[in-house]
């Protein structure tokens, strides 16, 4: 079939991995119509993708072997009393061979593009006829599914936008290996990390700024606020030191945080890769450490998050990152699975301090560990270390499921 | 979630139970907003039956502080368990939301 917007969209939805959300619709359809088979079929360029089904295998078949590729071109329910008696369908494999279906009724489902992308259908092994009320019910079910699909597509898109805002390239500064990853609890979330190169306001040269922010709450609403905090902090960071940048960010975002009953923790560091000199400000985040085989130390301050009833001075503190040390910043989604305890952090550190591990591998280990221990919150990790010579590199990975 | 709301005249006590998260938090915040609008701005949240709080729960408490203080009242928390105290400490929110050991302590001057 020639590609169309609807078919492109069907391919994208079929491969998005969120299709199991629609199982409840096929279960409903099966129960309402007492049919042995119910399915949601998406019609792509060359294939029909059965993404949710009962009584029929999920998967992919050639589009011309399907009934739904005809329904998808229509605007209303297509009902076929007996497929064997219909020249369009009498020869397709599901009619001539197992499960030898006879009856078909399907309702086309529209996607974001405005074109139909698939069909919710019921099949029976004996010929039958739907009553007027039954046809209406099938149409209603299709409309409900259409709404669910559009909500899910919006959420997936929002998650993608948020993911694309994460840094993807190595920072343009020598002497650093860095990696970060966010695993939101939903499609989008309130966690983010960031890194970028700034000119030191004292004229001392280039510095790498790294950020881990956590806006209270989860989901799309938290992600909107996180995008704002990220953008505002980026803007202010270009012109001033990190303490001042956080204070200005708090002032600039105050209305929006207050109006939405949100606050955001922030951990911001600014590193000179050549010397390891590290300035940092901890705005209620508390989850940054410098670790090595020799042990670990926390980089924390007593300041409040931004968006609180009082504004703190957020004055920067200083440390030095030695060449054999890692800077590790995580979100509370990680800390939660460690029982909110630094004793647990210490007990787990050995698993990531193997010098043979890259920053990307360390970040992956932290995130995988948290997810496999049933983290319910967004999970984020940012890891960096100094490397000798100009061979700076980064392999950021970020993913949503 | 059952918020366990009791109006004591000079103040209102909430005693939520279980997980104080994004399900329960907006309910509590909404109730506090209603109370403040009705002129009751002294709120005590008794946390002894809360075994887990997340950032949404913290957000509701902070929101409650803001709205009650604007009306000359306050929001206080009492009898917080280990997890709740750990999270308050981690985020430094114990600076503005210091948990009182007991409900009686929290009510000493109300």
């Amino acid at each position: 079939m020639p590609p169309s917007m609807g078919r492109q969209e069907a391919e994208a939805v079929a491969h998005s991995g969120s299709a199991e959300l629609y199982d409840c619709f096929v279960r409903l359809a099966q129960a309402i119509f007492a049919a042995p088979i119910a399915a949601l079929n998406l019609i792509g360029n060359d294939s029909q993708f059965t993404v949710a089904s009962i009584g029929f295998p999920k998967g992919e078949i050639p589009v011309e072997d399907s009934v739904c590729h005809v329904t998808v071109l229509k605007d209303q329910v297509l009902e076929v009393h007996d497929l064997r008696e219909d020249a369009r369908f009498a020869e397709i494999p599901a009619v001539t061979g197992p499960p030898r279906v006879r009856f078909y009724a399907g309702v086309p489902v529209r996607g974001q593009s405005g074109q139909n992308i698939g069909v919710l259908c019921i099949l029976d092994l004996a010929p039958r006829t739907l009553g007027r009320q039954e046809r209406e019910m099938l149409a209603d079910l299709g409309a409900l599914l259409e709404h669910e699909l559009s909500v899910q597509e919006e959420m997936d898109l929002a998650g993608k936008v948020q993911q694309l805002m994460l840094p993807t390239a190595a920072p343009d500064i020598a002497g650093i290996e860095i990696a970060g990853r966010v695993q939101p609890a939903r499609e989008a979330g309130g966690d983010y990390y960031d890194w970028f190169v700034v000119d030191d306001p004292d004229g001392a040269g280039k510095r790498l700024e790294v950020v881990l922010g956590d806006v209270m709450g989860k989901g799309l609403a938290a992600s909107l606020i996180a995008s704002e905090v990220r953008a505002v902090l980026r803007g202010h960071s270009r012109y001033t030191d990190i303490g001042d940048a956080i204070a200005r960010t708090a002032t600039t975002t105050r209305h929006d945080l207050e109006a939405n009953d949100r606050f955001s923790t922030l951990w911001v560091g600014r590193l000179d890769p050549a010397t390891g000199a590290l300035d940092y400000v901890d705005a209620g985040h508390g989850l940054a450490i410098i670790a090595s085989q020799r042990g670990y130390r926390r980089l924390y301050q007593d300041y409040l998050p931004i968006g609180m009833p009082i504004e703190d001075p957020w004055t920067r503190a200083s440390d030095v990152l030695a060449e054999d040390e890692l800077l590790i910043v995580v979100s509370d989604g990680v800390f939660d699975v460690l029982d909110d305890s630094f004793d647990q952090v210490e007990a787990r550190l050995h698993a990531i301090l193997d010098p043979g591990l890259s920053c990307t591998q360390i970040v992956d280990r932290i995130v995988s560990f948290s997810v496999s221990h049933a983290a319910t919150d967004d999970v984020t990790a940012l890891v960096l270390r100094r490397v000798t010579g100009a061979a700076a590199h980064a392999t950021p990975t970020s993913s949503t499921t | 979630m059952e918020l366990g709301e009791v109006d004591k005249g000079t103040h209102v006590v909430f005693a939520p139970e279980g997980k104080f998260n994004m399900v329960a938090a907006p309910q509590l915040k909404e109730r506090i907003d209603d109370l403040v609008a009705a002129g009751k701005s002294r709120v005590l949240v008794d946390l002894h039956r809360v075994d887990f709080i997340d950032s949404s729960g913290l957000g509701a408490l902070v929101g409650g502080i803001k709205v009650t203080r604007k009306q000359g009242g306050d929001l206080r928390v009492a009898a917080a368990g280990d997890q709740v105290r750990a999270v308050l400490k981690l985020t430094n929110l114990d600076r503005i939301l210091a948990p009182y050991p007991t409900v009686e302590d929290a009510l000493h001057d109300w």
Side-chain angles (χ1 to χ4, degrees):
Chain A
M1 289 173 105
S4 69
M5 267 155 61
R7 288 193 202 96
Q8 303 288 9
E9 191 182 344
E11 297 262 344
V13 174
H15 295 114
S16 72
S18 49
E20 64 268 25
L21 295 168
Y22 311 116
D23 279 341
C24 63
F25 284 92
V26 300
R27 280 200 298 272
L28 271 175
Q30 193 209 26
I32 291 171
F33 298 100
I37 298 171
L40 171 61
N41 295 322
L42 301 176
I43 307 300
N45 294 323
D46 304 304
S47 301
Q48 165 176 294
F49 303 94
T50 300
V51 294
S53 65
I54 293 184
F56 195 80
K58 291 184 191 178
E60 194 174 336
I61 61 167
V63 74
E64 58 274 11
D65 287 348
S66 80
V67 183
C68 289
H69 85 278
V70 174
T71 320
V72 84
L73 300 174
K74 301 192 174 299
D75 294 328
Q76 53 193 345
V77 171
L78 173 69
E79 182 180 350
V80 182
H81 170 70
D82 189 350
L83 293 163
R84 278 192 207 171
E85 303 295 321
D86 190 315
R88 293 172 295 178
F89 309 120
E91 299 302 324
I92 68 174
V95 176
T96 58
R100 299 184 197 284
V101 289
R102 302 288 294 273
F103 168 75
Y104 171 95
V107 57
V109 176
R110 238 195 335 261
Q112 296 279 81
S113 60
Q115 296 190 359
N116 293 338
I117 61 168
V119 177
L120 177 66
C121 66
I122 49 171
L123 294 135
D124 210 333
L125 306 181
R128 61 189 264 195
T129 306
L130 294 184
R132 187 180 58 85
Q133 223 179 359
E134 283 181 310
R135 287 177 71 97
E136 280 173 11
M137 271 198 276
L138 185 58
D140 286 348
L141 209 49
L144 275 176
L145 176 55
E146 204 167 279
H147 178 70
E148 184 66 27
L149 267 170
S150 77
V151 170
Q152 189 58 44
E153 275 190 87
E154 283 290 341
M155 291 297 295
D156 288 345
L157 270 176
K160 212 167 175 183
V161 169
Q162 193 178 30
Q163 205 188 112
L164 290 171
M165 286 186 182
L166 298 171
T168 54
D172 185 19
I173 193 167
I176 292 291
E177 184 198 352
I178 189 167
R181 183 170 160 189
V182 180
Q183 188 81 52
R186 300 180 183 179
E187 292 81 354
D191 276 16
Y192 81 97
Y193 66 84
D194 204 2
W195 66 64
F196 45 89
V197 176
V198 292
D199 287 316
D200 184 84
D202 304 329
K206 300 238 178 260
R207 299 284 182 270
L208 175 69
E209 184 160 325
V210 296
V211 180
L212 199 147
D214 182 357
V215 173
M216 162 252 130
K218 293 189 259 290
L220 192 51
S223 81
L224 288 171
I225 304 285
S227 294
E228 172 172 341
V229 172
R230 168 190 174 278
V232 172
L233 180 61
R234 269 199 166 211
H236 288 307
S237 290
R238 294 167 63 96
Y239 306 107
T240 184
D241 76 81
I242 50 176
D244 191 43
I246 289 184
R248 287 167 188 253
T249 300
T251 305
T252 309
T253 59
R254 183 193 295 146
H255 169 271
D256 295 352
L257 289 170
E258 246 176 41
N260 289 287
D261 274 329
R262 303 265 169 180
F263 61 84
S264 175
T265 70
L266 281 172
W267 193 92
V268 182
R270 200 175 272 188
L271 177 74
D272 179 354
T275 64
L278 174 70
D279 288 343
Y280 66 91
V281 174
D282 176 21
H285 192 72
L287 296 173
I289 60 170
I290 287 179
S292 70
Q293 302 287 356
R294 289 173 275 124
Y296 82 98
R297 59 187 182 277
R298 288 180 63 192
L299 304 181
Y300 76 99
Q301 295 176 293
D302 286 335
Y303 296 132
L304 290 169
I306 65 169
M308 304 303 285
I310 30 177
E311 297 207 344
D312 265 344
W314 292 297
T315 307
R316 65 191 162 165
S318 296
D319 204 304
V320 176
L321 182 69
E323 289 194 6
D324 65 337
E325 291 179 322
L326 289 171
L327 171 64
I328 305 169
V329 196
V330 299
S331 67
D332 61 351
V334 177
F335 204 48
D336 284 348
V337 301
L338 296 168
D339 299 330
D340 297 320
S341 142
F342 275 94
D343 293 340
Q344 288 290 321
V345 171
E346 196 166 4
R348 294 295 313 169
L349 267 182
H350 66 89
I352 55 170
L353 285 179
D354 178 347
L357 293 173
S358 69
C359 287
T360 301
Q361 287 171 317
I362 295 169
V363 157
D364 284 344
R365 283 198 179 190
I366 296 171
V367 172
S368 307
F369 172 80
S370 308
V371 171
S372 69
H373 284 70
T376 53
D377 201 352
D378 303 335
V379 166
T380 303
L382 177 71
V383 173
L384 76 83
R385 71 175 145 222
R386 296 164 63 201
V387 289
T388 43
H393 61 283
T395 328
T397 52
S398 57
S399 55
T400 48
T401 49
Chain B
M1 181 191 225
E2 197 54 58
L3 295 175
E5 177 179 342
V6 181
D7 192 336
K8 299 277 192 183
T10 56
H11 60 273
V12 177
V13 178
F14 289 94
E17 193 176 345
K19 293 194 190 312
F20 192 49
N21 55 19
M22 64 188 309
V23 180
Q27 292 177 27
L28 178 68
K29 178 60 181 22
E30 211 168 285
R31 263 315 285 154
I32 294 173
D33 287 347
D34 290 347
L35 288 171
V36 171
K40 291 180 180 292
S41 58
R42 286 181 172 178
V43 172
L44 173 72
V45 183
D46 174 0
L47 293 168
H48 84 278
R49 291 190 301 176
V50 169
D51 48 37
F52 179 84
I53 190 166
D54 71 358
S55 63
S56 300
L58 293 178
L61 297 177
V62 170
I65 289 181
K66 288 182 192 169
V67 65
T68 52
R69 286 186 184 173
K70 242 176 225 166
Q71 294 302 317
D74 201 2
L75 178 144
R76 296 175 179 177
V77 295
D82 290 344
Q83 193 268 345
V84 177
R85 271 185 286 127
V87 173
L88 285 173
K89 190 165 182 344
L90 180 72
T91 52
N92 300 323
L93 289 182
D94 55 355
R95 280 178 46 203
I96 57 164
L97 202 61
Y100 288 86
T102 66
V103 170
E104 290 68 36
D105 293 328
L107 296 175
H108 67 281
D109 58 349
W110 279 359

